[in-house]
Amino acid sequence: MKLNFALVIALFICTFSFAQTDEEIGNDPELTKKAEEKAKNRPGTYPVTDNIFMLKGMGGNIAVHHGIDGVLMIDTQFENISESILEAIAKETDLPLEFVINTHAHGDHTGGNKNFKRKGATILAHENTRDIMLSKMYKTAEQQALADLEKSIEEAKGISGSGEKLAAMEETKEELMIRIREQAQENMEIDYEQLPAISFQDDMLFHYNDEEIKLFHIPNAHTKGDIMVYFPKSNVIHTGDAFVNGMYPFIDFENGGSYEGYQRGLTTIMNRANDETVIIPGHGNLANRADVIEMRRMMKIFYDKVVVEYMMNKTEDQVAEMRNFSELFDEKGYGDGFITTERFLRSVYKAVALEKGRERDKNKRQTELLKKNQERAKKMDEGRQ
Ligand SMILES: [Zn+2]
């Protein structure tokens, strides 16, 4: 009885301290700021079909699919807005969130993973996406360890009489760095909560909420781990960042993205969709097949134009300043977002340089092979004489 009483008191205090009235919030500048922040970050709900809706806010677009079995969510935006996302879902359905799919590894699509995992959701992604997330964790740990090393060298510089020690440190810096890298990897605590629990290599088929949900890998497009999620019965596709609506796309070359792969991915999306398909892009407003075709057209125009400039020996900086062929799309606001016109032009230039470099290497290899064969034939001829 005593215990129950204590519990009631505790609950009362909890309720009291958490349920601030608007008036209280209004009087406290800290709370006002927090409430404003929350309101600003609250995602907007956009109905797509009877049982699918999009949540648009900070980070990548989320799709929520609900039905007889439960709730499946695509992408998780940022860590600090998970609560608002759950509130938005609760307004539409009281079924449990069972599955979360990550379309790719970037933080604006996976940042909230941990919070939803704690709510009992199982997270899935392509194997490469999990790899990218894991290697990013290693990189962060490594950078921290290397920064610590630099700091201790700097500190040693400030201490008198540390000349010898400092010289030794500088001398063995390379060696130290290798050891630090190894140690960082060994000692790193992997944040498993953030990582997908299930990963797959090619495609995957889901049977959920009386619908077959198809997960297709789009190789080397935005990253090396992109997937698109296709709901044939509902006629809806979530593309992740393999398609963004009305803005220049980001090609993450460092994580296996490629220009050609991105273009191929758009073709895959286009082929899956028909004129009635609702396309939920990674960023931007709800789209349709025509928007995907328009993006493909834009990418081809840019590539073809930059190839010509490249062949005329224009540098990356020169191309980055050109606006003669981007105008058409700049006017529609393509360069107003995260990827500016200049940034996009630089990535097109990079893609062209990579492709031309590959062609050059191939030609060189062929010439060398031809030369070798000619020499061999000559030797054989000489041997015969
Ligand atoms: Zn992304």
Side-chain angles (χ1 to χ4, degrees):
M1 196 60 208
K2 207 176 161 192
L3 189 81
N4 279 351
F5 181 69
L7 194 70
V8 168
I9 294 280
L11 274 174
F12 177 74
I13 292 168
C14 277
T15 322
F16 187 73
S17 56
F18 281 115
Q20 287 114 1
T21 62
D22 287 349
E23 229 168 285
E24 277 171 322
I25 292 171
N27 288 335
D28 186 330
E30 253 315 293
L31 290 178
T32 312
K33 216 176 119 199
K34 263 192 193 161
E36 275 173 5
E37 195 67 10
K38 201 177 167 193
K40 202 176 76 199
N41 297 340
R42 189 168 292 142
T45 304
Y46 298 78
V48 177
T49 64
D50 285 348
N51 65 335
I52 298 177
F53 58 92
M54 173 174 87
L55 292 176
K56 196 169 181 300
M58 288 171 79
N61 291 332
I62 286 178
V64 179
H65 177 244
H66 56 100
I68 50 168
D69 297 320
V71 179
L72 173 145
M73 185 168 93
I74 303 168
D75 285 343
T76 62
Q77 295 190 352
F78 293 107
E79 192 180 353
N80 59 338
I81 43 172
S82 307
E83 206 185 306
S84 304
I85 291 167
L86 285 169
E87 280 169 14
I89 295 174
K91 274 187 193 155
E92 305 292 324
T93 171
D94 46 19
L95 286 163
L97 173 63
E98 291 191 308
F99 295 105
V100 166
I101 296 167
N102 288 147
T103 57
H104 65 288
H106 290 152
D108 54 336
H109 297 257
T110 59
N113 276 7
K114 186 184 294 188
N115 299 328
F116 300 105
K117 209 179 234 188
R118 284 178 187 165
K119 295 279 173 194
T122 301
I123 303 179
L124 296 98
H126 190 270
E127 194 181 38
N128 293 348
T129 286
R130 197 177 186 279
D131 282 351
I132 294 171
M133 290 171 80
L134 199 57
S135 62
K136 202 183 160 212
M137 287 177 188
Y138 279 129
K139 240 181 259 168
T140 313
E142 201 182 283
Q143 273 163 2
Q144 187 53 51
L146 291 175
D148 289 347
L149 172 68
E150 290 290 346
K151 207 176 142 205
S152 48
I153 291 178
E154 279 307 309
E155 274 168 6
K157 278 182 191 166
I159 303 166
S160 59
S162 65
E164 242 171 69
K165 196 181 154 201
L166 189 66
M169 269 175 114
E170 286 283 8
E171 210 172 282
T172 52
K173 199 174 161 189
E174 286 296 312
E175 216 176 284
L176 268 172
M177 274 163 80
I178 294 170
R179 218 176 318 141
I180 280 174
R181 274 203 188 99
E182 283 169 1
Q183 269 174 10
Q185 293 216 356
E186 271 170 33
N187 302 339
M188 191 189 77
E189 276 187 39
I190 296 169
D191 191 0
Y192 283 105
E193 278 195 306
Q194 198 61 18
L195 293 173
I198 298 175
S199 67
F200 54 95
Q201 284 180 327
D202 296 309
D203 302 334
M204 188 184 249
L205 190 58
F206 247 80
H207 307 271
Y208 198 60
N209 292 334
D210 199 21
E211 179 149 7
E212 276 189 358
I213 306 161
K214 297 176 177 182
L215 277 50
F216 292 110
H217 180 214
I218 302 182
N220 305 97
H222 174 63
T223 68
K224 63 177 176 179
D226 301 314
I227 53 162
M228 64 175 237
V229 185
Y230 178 39
F231 302 85
K233 195 172 143 191
S234 303
N235 203 7
V236 173
I237 297 176
H238 190 304
T239 62
D241 283 359
F243 167 67
V244 289
N245 193 12
M247 55 189 87
Y248 293 124
F250 170 48
I251 317 275
D252 188 353
F253 290 99
E254 240 177 76
N255 286 309
S258 75
Y259 203 88
E260 320 87 81
Y262 204 101
Q263 288 176 301
R264 269 199 306 275
L266 291 175
T267 307
T268 308
I269 298 163
M270 195 192 87
N271 289 341
R272 287 283 160 191
N274 58 34
D275 291 340
E276 275 77 50
T277 309
V278 181
I279 294 175
I280 302 174
H283 297 267
N285 296 332
L286 286 174
N288 56 33
R289 190 169 182 267
D291 298 317
V292 178
I293 294 172
E294 178 66 357
M295 168 72 81
R296 218 171 58 127
R297 189 177 78 92
M298 180 277 290
M299 288 186 78
K300 185 166 174 6
I301 292 174
F302 271 65
Y303 195 87
D304 292 348
K305 297 279 185 194
V306 174
V307 165
V308 175
E309 302 301 335
Y310 183 89
M311 299 306 263
M312 294 198 308
N313 292 324
K314 289 269 167 60
T315 64
E316 184 184 318
D317 286 338
Q318 284 171 322
V319 170
E321 275 173 27
M322 291 182 171
R323 293 293 178 270
N324 50 338
F325 50 88
S326 69
E327 251 173 9
L328 217 87
F329 299 94
D330 290 341
E331 276 168 14
K332 292 182 202 160
Y334 271 62
D336 297 347
F338 172 54
I339 301 294
T340 58
T341 308
E342 186 196 322
R343 240 186 120 181
F344 185 58
L345 281 167
R346 286 188 187 278
S347 62
V348 183
Y349 189 92
K350 191 173 176 178
V352 171
L354 279 170
E355 176 58 25
K356 292 294 159 202
R358 271 196 295 268
E359 275 175 25
R360 218 178 301 131
D361 288 348
K362 200 177 152 196
N363 288 343
K364 214 170 122 190
R365 273 200 308 275
Q366 277 173 344
T367 317
E368 273 166 16
L369 198 71
L370 197 74
K371 227 164 100 189
K372 241 186 225 164
N373 285 343
Q374 279 170 344
E375 271 166 23
R376 202 181 298 153
K378 205 174 145 197
K379 263 186 198 152
M380 277 169 78
D381 279 347
E382 281 167 1
R384 247 180 249 138
Q385 280 164 8

